[in-house]
Amino acid sequence: MEDIGMEHLQQTWPDAFEETVRSLLPAYPAQQPLPPDASFRSVGLDSLGIMTLVMRLQQRFAVRFPPAVVAIANFETPAAAWRTVSAALDDNS
């Protein structure tokens, strides 16, 4: 995805998503924008942290991800995670 698309994506995810992600990244500077395409591993989240993120996103957005969706590829970056949450929200509407 090109940079313009990534910037737009970041502007469209809600504060609740950003807050949930940042709560698991205490070492990530609060004033620094969260790059949509940055690997969570590159900003300090290991595989256990990613699974914690999955659980917190389910709680925060009152969605359930099917087992087939709970894969690292769907939660590898903020953009991927938001697409996964958005799809689950659309499925619940």
Side-chain angles (χ1 to χ4, degrees):
M1 192 178 281
E2 61 184 287
D3 290 338
I4 294 171
M6 285 297 176
E7 289 173 12
H8 175 71
L9 180 65
Q10 185 175 10
Q11 293 170 0
T12 60
W13 66 46
D15 291 342
F17 176 79
E18 180 102 7
E19 291 164 7
T20 303
V21 170
R22 285 184 177 271
S23 72
L24 294 168
L25 303 172
Y28 195 80
Q31 69 280 7
Q32 187 173 347
L34 187 61
D37 60 345
S39 160
F40 277 126
R41 292 179 193 274
S42 73
V43 294
L45 207 57
D46 61 13
S47 55
L48 180 59
I50 291 171
M51 292 314 298
T52 301
L53 175 62
V54 168
M55 290 184 294
R56 288 189 184 177
L57 289 171
Q58 288 183 119
Q59 291 172 340
R60 186 81 184 254
F61 290 94
V63 296
R64 277 293 194 217
F65 303 123
V69 171
V70 182
I72 295 295
N74 292 327
F75 296 92
E76 193 167 16
T77 66
W82 178 243
R83 281 191 298 271
T84 303
V85 171
S86 292
L89 289 169
D90 288 345
D91 288 347
N92 287 345
S93 348

